[in-house]
Amino acid sequence: MNPGEGRPVVSFGEPEGYDERVRARPLGARIRSRTAAVGVCVVLGLGLIGGAVTGSWLTGDDGVDSGATSFAAAGQLWHSVPVDQLFPPTVAGQGAGPGGADRTWTRIAVAPDTGCANAFDPLLRDVLAPVGCQRLLRATYTDATQSYVTTVGILFTKADLTAMTALSTRFKKENLGNRADLMPRPYAAKGTLAAAFGDKQRASWTVSVLTDAPVVVYAVSGWADGRTVDAPEPADEAVTSGGTEAPAQAGLGNEAQGLADRVERSLRKTVDSPSATSKTSGVSESSEKKTS
């Protein structure tokens, strides 16, 4: 190398790697492409997180479960919702009868909303005691042929979610809903088809303990002619195909179960309605509504 001449320029090639065919290839491009990909992922991730946060701000959704709010709201429906919404004047029971036959029930009486004194047999009252009694609403219906009468009750309790869950669990484990000594009492309204619907006329019944609302829904059915029943049968047994007891043969299990199910569905729908708490009660505490 002559004096004064610059040092030779040495260029370094990009390090090589190997592809799947063991052919040499530069590693630099791969490193750069991976770096770029990582950058894109970071940008996308931040964008998604930011979008989610922004969405929460815009919608006001802080991730808190609304179940507790709905549970509490349900406990106030007895004085905030019209009686015609809780107990419609006419209830359609598509497929609710024996063999999937349709049913239609007409309301013949609504009891004034009350406490639970004398509303239940002593043993059932003791079983329900842990959840308390805030208010009891009842209505009695008849079928399209006016052959049967059915009382539906909605018991609004004082309980929290834990207590309602405990009661529901007890009913299931101890099969309390099928015990004849725990049948609900009917509402026998004077001057109606249900005037003779007393304790001895109870033929079939069902009790449903809700856990998403402080509510117990029940129904009890019997014949409209006031005949006594020696062997009442729980609805879930009476609706079983091939039942030989009189309540099963007459379809009284379907009457109780079908009507209770639809009142319960209507109640759940009302709980989910944003306007439920803004409505005024249609149940009078001092007077009894009757329809002929």
Side-chain angles (χ1 to χ4, degrees):
M1 180 179 299
N2 295 327
E5 292 182 1
R7 295 176 61 85
V9 178
V10 179
S11 63
F12 295 92
E14 294 181 343
E16 293 185 334
Y18 298 90
D19 61 15
E20 68 277 5
R21 296 185 181 180
V22 198
R23 294 179 303 189
R25 67 179 179 186
L27 289 177
R30 181 172 62 181
I31 294 173
R32 285 195 298 271
S33 63
R34 285 185 175 178
T35 302
V38 170
V40 171
C41 290
V42 170
V43 172
L44 288 175
L46 291 174
L48 290 173
I49 294 172
V53 172
T54 301
S56 296
W57 291 341
L58 292 175
T59 62
D61 182 8
D62 57 2
V64 177
D65 186 5
S66 62
T69 301
S70 297
F71 186 95
Q76 303 303 315
L77 293 181
W78 66 271
H79 64 70
S80 63
V81 176
V83 65
D84 285 353
Q85 189 168 335
L86 293 174
F87 298 122
T90 303
V91 177
Q94 185 174 4
D102 293 341
R103 279 286 194 268
T104 300
W105 297 283
T106 300
R107 193 184 69 199
I108 57 176
V110 176
D113 56 281
T114 64
C116 293
N118 302 317
F120 301 110
D121 287 344
L123 190 55
L124 180 56
R125 184 181 63 228
D126 290 344
V127 170
L128 296 174
V131 296
C133 174
Q134 180 174 215
R135 219 63 182 171
L136 176 63
L137 308 183
R138 294 168 295 170
T140 298
Y141 288 78
T142 186
D143 69 309
T145 67
Q146 299 188 346
S147 299
Y148 314 116
V149 285
T150 302
T151 292
V152 186
I154 304 177
L155 167 62
F156 289 88
T157 75
K158 299 178 180 179
D160 58 13
L161 176 60
T162 300
M164 293 302 297
T165 300
L167 181 63
S168 176
T169 299
R170 184 184 177 193
F171 260 79
K172 292 174 183 176
K173 285 186 175 181
E174 300 180 27
N175 199 30
L176 300 184
N178 286 356
R179 284 178 46 171
D181 56 353
L182 294 177
M183 270 193 299
R185 282 179 172 169
Y187 173 58
K190 296 179 181 179
T192 72
L193 286 171
F197 189 22
D199 291 349
K200 294 182 179 180
Q201 284 71 37
R202 292 176 290 185
S204 191
W205 75 98
T206 182
V207 179
S208 176
V209 180
L210 279 59
T211 56
D212 52 354
V215 170
V216 176
V217 178
Y218 67 85
V220 56
S221 62
W223 278 275
D225 61 9
R227 74 182 73 176
T228 59
V229 180
D230 295 328
E233 189 173 18
D236 65 348
E237 294 180 4
V239 299
T240 302
S241 178
T244 58
E245 298 293 336
Q249 291 287 316
L252 284 164
N254 297 82
E255 297 293 306
Q257 188 69 66
L259 194 49
D261 283 349
R262 281 150 184 82
V263 168
E264 183 177 326
R265 291 178 201 172
S266 178
L267 179 67
R268 290 180 185 278
K269 184 177 180 180
T270 300
V271 172
D272 293 338
S273 172
S275 61
T277 56
S278 66
K279 297 181 179 179
T280 57
S281 175
V283 183
S284 170
E285 296 186 18
S286 59
S287 63
E288 177 180 289
K289 290 187 177 181
K290 301 176 184 177
T291 57
S292 58

